[in-house]
Amino acid sequence: MRLRPGADAARVRRALSRLGQWVRECRDERGVRTFTIELGAPVSREQLLALEGVSEVSLPSSPHPKVDAMPRRVEAGPVTVGVACPPVVMAGPCAVETEAQVGAIAKVVARHGARLLRGGAYKPRTSPYSFRGHGEKALLWLARAARACGLGVVTECLAPEDAELVAHYADLVQIGTRNMQNFRLLEAVGRTGAAVLLKRGMSATLEEWLLAGEYLLDHGARGVIFCERGIRHFDPSTRNLLDLSAVAVLAHEHHLPVIADPSHGAGRRDLILPLSRAALAAGACGLLVEVHVDPGVARSDGPQALDAPAFESLMQAVREEAGRGGRQMAGGVR
Ligand code: PEP
Ligand code: MN
């Protein structure tokens, strides 16, 4: 930013500080005073030009123009997820285990107000010996269970060659944390034109996350919902650290649709309710939550799955939070 000759630099600096900007003062090659913003709250070129003494402003171009320009609301099956919409809860088992299991869970989550049924047909597992999902058969069970209860479907795609198939069954295609920077997968899922739930890589910066969204949109995804699911940390009390600062930055600085997954964030069912409240208060426009009718026998992520009564209590809390934020949910318990 260039100052006019004779401008009061100290005054400009104070005005910038009131706008939340941390600046460095220099002179350009012609000896004209300049300020470079090193750190600061989002600010427009117009706001800076309006300051007395400022003659020129150049802002760096964004590395993710398609994310910046994307719609703030994304249609996902029966519902719209996004900025200023009532919060949307997506719930269901970690993995689709049997047709009966997913059918029973769909009834529970629909009864209490979830709008999308989640469930993994292709499971990314740390150990190759763990249950890795039933594949296409599970997609069919999931879609049937969802349809019977008027729910949309959210499910993960693990491999580029499955993208078309998964997009055929899903209203929202999930990219898991381990694949946030699997660029060939992002391209393949983008090419299907699907709406995508993009989980944050467990060690990814916000910039890397936004750029992963840019890949999806650049290849044709019709919308991206960002999902904070916890990052790696040093304390063993919780499985991950649910980064609510990230939720707040995406919601309030970038005005993007962002949801939280407290199930993977905490890894413990006793913390899902308070973390869900906190995430909604921080700006999340939805939640992704693991639910099982019998968590003790779940084939993956049992310790973080809510049972039916706990899910009912969670939904009550979500409604209260939504009411507090002026984003009432339609209909209450269905
Ligand atoms: C999941 O949603 O079950 C899952 C595997 O999530 P993540 O990619 O966040 O670990
Ligand atoms: Mn899981």
Side-chain angles (χ1 to χ4, degrees):
M1 169 187 340
R2 280 204 170 77
L3 302 199
R4 292 184 201 291
D8 181 345
R11 194 169 156 175
V12 177
R13 183 186 282 277
R14 279 197 301 277
L16 286 166
S17 154
R18 278 196 294 277
L19 284 176
Q21 308 302 312
W22 180 264
V23 293
R24 181 164 43 88
E25 190 178 333
C26 303
R27 284 185 189 272
D28 70 7
E29 60 290 349
R30 287 175 286 147
V32 177
R33 274 180 199 275
T34 64
F35 279 130
T36 303
I37 295 176
E38 300 213 303
L39 196 67
V43 66
S44 69
R45 193 165 172 274
E46 290 66 35
Q47 276 173 296
L48 296 174
L49 270 174
L51 299 178
E52 198 181 321
V54 173
S55 66
E56 259 179 71
V57 170
S58 52
L59 291 176
S61 58
S62 167
H64 37 70
K66 292 189 171 145
V67 168
D68 299 341
M70 114 188 164
R72 270 36 193 160
R73 294 174 175 202
V74 179
E75 307 287 323
V79 79
T80 305
V81 186
V83 174
C85 296
V88 170
V89 175
M90 310 173 188
C94 177
V96 176
E97 298 168 5
T98 63
E99 183 159 23
Q101 172 245 21
V102 72
I105 295 171
K107 285 190 189 130
V108 168
V109 302
R111 186 180 331 126
H112 297 302
R115 305 303 307 278
L116 282 96
L117 180 64
R118 64 143 291 148
Y122 300 93
K123 294 303 302 174
R125 302 304 300 272
T126 304
S127 163
Y129 309 118
S130 302
F131 174 57
R132 294 166 67 194
H134 286 304
E136 186 170 357
K137 195 164 59 173
L139 289 175
L140 190 65
W141 296 339
L142 180 68
R144 268 196 211 138
R147 197 175 331 115
C149 298
L151 299 168
V153 166
V154 51
T155 193
E156 178 165 352
C157 182
L158 268 192
E161 59 273 23
D162 298 332
E164 284 291 345
L165 180 74
V166 174
H168 172 76
Y169 286 99
D171 297 295
L172 195 54
V173 177
Q174 179 173 325
I175 301 284
T177 189
R178 294 160 186 81
N179 279 315
M180 190 206 82
Q181 285 189 313
N182 180 341
F183 300 115
R184 302 294 288 271
L185 178 64
L186 299 179
E187 289 172 10
V189 170
R191 275 196 299 272
T192 66
V196 181
L197 184 71
L198 178 62
K199 288 198 163 194
R200 178 182 177 190
M202 61 184 89
S203 305
T205 64
L206 299 198
E207 188 77 348
E208 288 164 343
W209 194 14
L210 295 172
L211 284 166
E214 189 75 10
Y215 263 90
L216 288 164
L217 294 167
D218 189 45
H219 284 81
R222 76 183 160 76
V224 176
I225 299 166
F226 292 83
C227 177
E228 164 59 40
R229 53 75 72 198
I231 52 175
R232 285 258 160 132
H233 68 151
F234 48 80
D235 190 286
S237 317
T238 54
R239 183 175 176 187
N240 290 295
L241 175 69
L242 189 68
D243 182 2
L244 296 182
S245 305
V247 171
V249 169
L250 261 67
H252 299 293
E253 179 178 332
H254 296 279
H255 308 287
L256 287 168
V258 56
I259 72 166
D261 169 356
S263 306
H264 293 87
R268 294 167 43 164
R269 72 173 63 90
D270 59 327
L271 300 180
I272 308 296
L273 191 149
L275 286 174
S276 297
R277 279 191 188 277
L280 293 171
C285 59
L287 298 169
L288 182 71
V289 181
E290 290 187 343
V291 176
H292 200 290
V293 281
D294 189 356
V297 302
R299 295 188 71 180
S300 63
D301 286 349
Q304 68 196 34
L306 297 180
D307 62 11
F311 183 67
E312 183 174 1
S313 306
L314 173 73
M315 290 306 292
Q316 188 49 44
V318 170
R319 264 181 220 105
E320 285 167 19
E321 250 352 284
R324 226 192 294 282
R327 298 182 291 167
Q328 268 82 1
M329 295 164 81
V333 174
R334 293 163 353 133

